[in-house]
Amino acid sequence: MKRDKIEILRGLGFLRGLDQAVLERLAAAFTERHYQPGEIILPEGSQGGDVHLIVEGEVEVVKGTGNEEMLLARRGPGDLFGEMGLLDRSPRFATIRAVEATHLLQLPEDSARALLTEQPQVLFRTLQILTARLRESDLHLIADLQRKNRELRRAYQDLQEAQDALVESKRLEHELELARELQQSILPVEFPNPPGVSFAAASRPARRVGGDFYDVIPLSRGRFGLVMADVSDKGMPAALFMALTRSLIRAEAKRRTSPRQVLLNVHRLLLEISRAEMFVTVFYGMFDPAQASMRYARAGHDHPLVVRSGSAKCELLTAYGMALGFVKDVSLEEDDVELFAGDRLVLYTDGITHAESVTGEFFGPDRLRRTVCTTDRLSAQALCDLIFERVSTFQAGAPQFDDMAVLLLTMGA
């Protein structure tokens, strides 16, 4: 039966490309389940993160009970269900019930989470399935409400309009909450603390979620990978693309010592995996505290600033590069920079420099340089906070149109 499981898993589109060893581990983790027609597999209101794969038979997704029951979808061989529980711990929105004799493979939550963590392409495909199903369920709900509203349109026109707005608001709220939880779980809240070096970061999305992200990745021999990136879109699509890009960068950083090669590999994988019409600008540097140096590549991202100790002058890191994930052929340069005692490295996204005042003026790179070059006595976190404070003061209540993020590295004096 294990060999049968492997063949079933190999045939699933969202698992394509996995190594034989990964498939064998998954096959061993799956438990066989059998259900009779009408038997409830997952009741509405229950909780859990196990993922189920349909081998034979058919199940239906229903909302409510009795006369109020509504069919949302049907699933057949090769389909998954239960994957939403991996991201959302809320009670289940609907009931899963066997339509006919059904044979399932059940993957425990811990095994499913391990798979998504280790295999970023599977994470992306699972999120695609989840997003498509959220939309499918929403369409069923909206269609049902529209049918009922048509019956009462003459007497309750105002009620129908209010109800449509409420449904749309709840749908968007749910999607944004899922994206917010996903993004919060990805952005680091604690940083490594090597001797003589400190890190700090802050972000402010334009909406509840955004496409900016940063990371500090522990590497071999005491080195660290520094990442600052900006996805071209905002909201839920940008959050999903951000999650995919971040996973790919972390995976490639463990395998390659050349920042340029890391970004080129991420670019190639983005083109292979994603069909979204988005791109991402990225700065990636491999920092070696022992050598007080960093080798970096810049894929279309804003020029980082190096503030030399005791100096009111900022240096720009200017290695040339193009954004990732959009055009097939990109050109990237790789360069080195030394970081001495008391120096600061300031990474940021263009939401900082493109912040607008009430008169439409940009905050601009000059104001950012003046902020970071004249405050050498502040801690890394205090300087992060100061940057956002001055941007807010400059905006003076003007709306924020783009995501903002800052990542600082400070060398001890």
Side-chain angles (χ1 to χ4, degrees), residues 173-190:
E173 184 72 18
H174 185 62
E175 287 188 356
L176 286 172
E177 186 60 25
L178 286 177
R180 187 191 68 80
E181 292 177 2
L182 174 65
Q183 189 168 51
Q184 290 302 312
S185 69
I186 287 174
L187 292 177
V189 294
E190 295 182 356

Side-chain angles (χ1 to χ4, degrees), residues 39-56:
E39 190 172 356
I40 292 178
I41 302 170
L42 297 176
E44 180 178 343
S46 63
Q47 292 179 298
D50 290 359
V51 176
H52 302 75
L53 166 65
I54 302 174
V55 179
E56 295 177 344

Side-chain angles (χ1 to χ4, degrees), residues 16-176:
R16 66 179 179 271
L18 292 187
D19 295 337
Q20 179 70 16
V22 177
L23 292 174
E24 290 180 355
R25 190 168 74 248
L26 285 176
F30 272 108
T31 301
E32 290 187 76
R33 303 292 186 195
H34 295 272
Y35 295 89
Q36 297 303 311
E39 190 172 356
I40 292 178
I41 302 170
L42 297 176
E44 180 178 343
S46 63
Q47 292 179 298
D50 290 359
V51 176
H52 302 75
L53 166 65
I54 302 174
V55 179
E56 295 177 344
E58 187 179 43
V59 303
E60 57 187 1
V61 185
V62 295
K63 175 68 176 173
T65 59
N67 294 333
E68 296 298 320
E69 182 176 286
M70 178 171 53
L71 176 65
L72 299 180
R74 289 180 182 268
R75 310 281 183 231
D79 284 339
L80 289 175
F81 60 87
E83 72 285 348
M84 185 179 291
L86 292 173
L87 297 177
D88 186 2
R89 305 302 298 176
S90 301
R92 300 189 192 281
F93 176 74
T95 293
I96 306 293
R97 184 171 60 205
V99 176
E100 58 190 38
T102 302
H103 176 198
L104 303 177
L105 295 180
Q106 181 177 340
L107 182 63
E109 179 178 355
D110 55 352
S111 298
R113 288 186 178 276
L115 173 64
L116 297 184
T117 300
E118 297 169 5
Q119 305 293 330
Q121 69 273 33
V122 177
L123 169 63
F124 180 73
R125 293 167 192 155
T126 302
L127 289 171
Q128 283 183 313
I129 292 172
L130 175 58
T131 302
R133 289 185 177 174
L134 283 172
R135 290 172 178 165
E136 179 185 6
S137 296
D138 288 337
L139 289 174
H140 281 284
L141 288 171
I142 292 171
D144 184 68
L145 287 171
Q146 289 175 338
R147 177 185 61 80
K148 293 178 179 178
N149 285 336
R150 280 194 299 269
E151 297 172 358
L152 301 171
R153 180 165 294 172
R154 290 182 181 179
Y156 299 104
Q157 186 67 39
D158 292 341
L159 178 61
Q160 184 231 346
E161 293 176 358
Q163 186 68 52
D164 286 345
L166 179 60
V167 170
E168 180 67 10
S169 175
K170 287 183 176 181
R171 182 181 70 84
L172 293 175
E173 184 72 18
H174 185 62
E175 287 188 356
L176 286 172

Side-chain angles (χ1 to χ4, degrees), residues 189-334:
V189 294
E190 295 182 356
F191 294 102
N193 189 29
V197 179
S198 61
F199 300 100
S203 66
R204 184 189 298 163
R207 303 175 186 174
R208 286 184 63 182
V209 292
D212 290 2
F213 70 96
Y214 50 82
D215 207 351
V216 178
I217 308 170
L219 302 174
S220 62
R221 296 187 293 183
R223 299 172 299 182
F224 299 93
L226 305 183
V227 182
M228 178 60 75
D230 184 356
V231 175
S232 59
D233 204 350
K234 291 177 281 294
M236 182 70 157
L240 297 179
F241 198 82
M242 162 197 160
L244 171 64
T245 304
R246 185 256 190 185
S247 296
L248 292 176
I249 291 175
R250 289 186 70 91
E252 290 300 318
K254 302 289 186 179
R255 290 194 280 263
R256 303 287 182 179
T257 58
S258 164
R260 176 179 179 272
Q261 194 59 54
V262 167
L263 295 187
L264 287 176
N265 286 355
V266 169
H267 172 67
R268 174 180 55 81
L269 291 167
L270 284 174
L271 291 179
E272 290 178 1
I273 295 173
S274 174
R275 297 296 180 266
E277 293 185 357
M278 288 187 283
F279 60 87
V280 58
T281 66
V282 185
F283 173 89
Y284 174 66
M286 188 179 67
F287 172 60
D288 188 343
Q291 301 297 322
S293 66
M294 179 178 67
R295 191 154 187 81
Y296 72 92
R298 189 179 64 88
H301 200 75
D302 294 79
H303 297 283
L305 300 174
V306 175
V307 186
R308 297 302 182 185
S309 177
S311 170
K313 183 178 180 181
C314 292
E315 300 176 10
L316 297 179
L317 301 187
T318 59
Y320 173 79
M322 300 167 61
L324 309 181
F326 195 63
V327 299
K328 180 178 180 181
D329 297 318
V330 298
S331 176
L332 295 175
E333 293 180 350
E334 191 172 275

